[in-house]
Amino acid sequence: MSTQKVVELPRRAVASVSPLTGELLREYEQHTDDAVEDKLALAAATFREYRKVPFAERAAILARAAEILEKEKETFGRMMTLEMGKTFKSAVQEAEKCAFGCRFYAENAERFLADEEAKTNASRSFVRYQPIGPVLAVMPWNFPFWQVFRFAAPALMAGNVGLLKHASNVPQCALAIEDIFRRAGFAEGVFQTLLIGSDRVNKVIADRRIAAVTLTGSVGAGSSVAAVAGKEIKKSVLELGGSDPFIVMPSADLDRAAEVAVQARVINNGQSCIAAKRFIVHERIAGEFEKKFVSRMASLKVGDPMDTNTDVGPLATADVLQGLEGQVNKTIEMGARVLLGGKRIDRKGNFFAPTVLADIPKGSPAHEDELFGPVASLYRAKDMAHAIEIANDSIFGLGACAWTNDRTERDLFIHEIEAGLAFINGMVASDPRIPFGGVKHSGYGRELSHHGIREFVNVKSVSIQEPEPAKSRTE
Ligand code: NAP
């Protein structure tokens, strides 16, 4: 156990606090109820006009947003790093990925939402996809730009307008994103940020001008938002937590698997919903894999996220650090073995040591919950079927990957794994070209691809009956 005292970081409703030093960087006044009312009114009024804007015009503006993201990626990257601690190099890549996402929807949205002909008994039937109105997006801090853009790019291309309630610890990112859309040329009401705490979200969802809500975040937040949306009969999409399995079988390239396993665990300082969290390895190669994995985890450079040599920076907030420490301590108390790390690092900032745990007891936090930080849990399996059984023994079902060159094992994994994303010999990642989302407590609905853009539309079935041709009088 660490002897360092919990760093007392100031708790503010909407504020940036440095994860590296604990210093308060900037504090914002929350928007008042009147200001929120003005923004809702503007969103509703803007939607009535914006829905008529042709695809080509929307696409040109979104492409300008992509240009801004690319041109200023280092400024945005620095902002993300200072606010939530991700490494600067990964933050710059995040800005680039947002540009890619914007271009993807600028180029494809019209095709994804084109009328679809259907064959029925009517003279003509088709499906028309139409926007539904202002959509509220409740977003997390871990990918403070990408989470927002992967909602906003398709939503705005579909003709909806967006209201963002971002996590309270990333207000600078929230305001910067609003500014990007404004500078790109969208009308003021097309995308607005609400600086409000989570206790004010229910009232916004219930407002009659809000058509739907999407939340990316924890299971608790998702359950609360979905309950209100359900009561109000409003569409919701939930992207929640994950405890992704990373399965390794004897036919895999072990060196490559161990190398990617480390990346997949510590991506975003370990705070990614699709980070690999449970490593399930065939017992024949488990000893060898463990050695390779632990030595790579041990060689990670932990430090200032602005330093380009850093692999793992601080956790985003003091609460995240404290939560993770509690989960690891409890798992160890219940009998898990510590192969590496196991505690916070004795220095200023929210640092937790890269950690590897083995012999994970059932019922322990590492087995039951999501560990949001650089902590890996190792399991051993008899064969692929057993590995899948361990993998599926979770409330989550977001991503999963298997490392194997055996065709039968691959087929079994693809067919039996309870997950929204199943990757073979590669780490799970989001990509605008394929849908993203989970099953079980990882949520419902999909983002990205044509599936994502069709979540917040009215799928209108149109049926046209032409009059029978008039019969001739001589008949
Ligand atoms: P969080 O505490 O659930 O917060 C997410 C957002 O929800 C924040 O804007 C937060 O606002 C708001 N919120 C919290 N409780 C709420 C409530 N009861 N009602 C309405 N809004 C509420 O999650 P986090 O700690 O920021 O993010 C980490 C979680 O997100 C992890 O579980 C991770 O796996 C998940 N995640 C999932 C995906 C995915 O695509 N599946 C992607 C990224 C992250 P405040 O900040 O004001 O509290």
Side-chain angles (χ1 to χ4, degrees), residues 102-124:
C102 287
R103 289 213 176 89
F104 175 78
Y105 279 108
E107 286 161 15
N108 293 294
E110 186 167 9
R111 178 169 63 85
F112 290 157
L113 299 179
D115 288 352
E116 261 174 30
E117 296 297 322
K119 258 204 154 4
T120 66
N121 293 338
S123 313
R124 186 187 168 209

Side-chain angles (χ1 to χ4, degrees), residues 139 141 147 150 165 168 216-218 239-241 273 370 436:
M139 290 288 145
W141 45 262
Q147 301 292 0
R150 79 181 187 187
K165 182 274 180 269
S168 294
T216 301
S218 58
E239 296 289 354
L240 308 179
C273 52
E370 177 181 34
F436 185 94

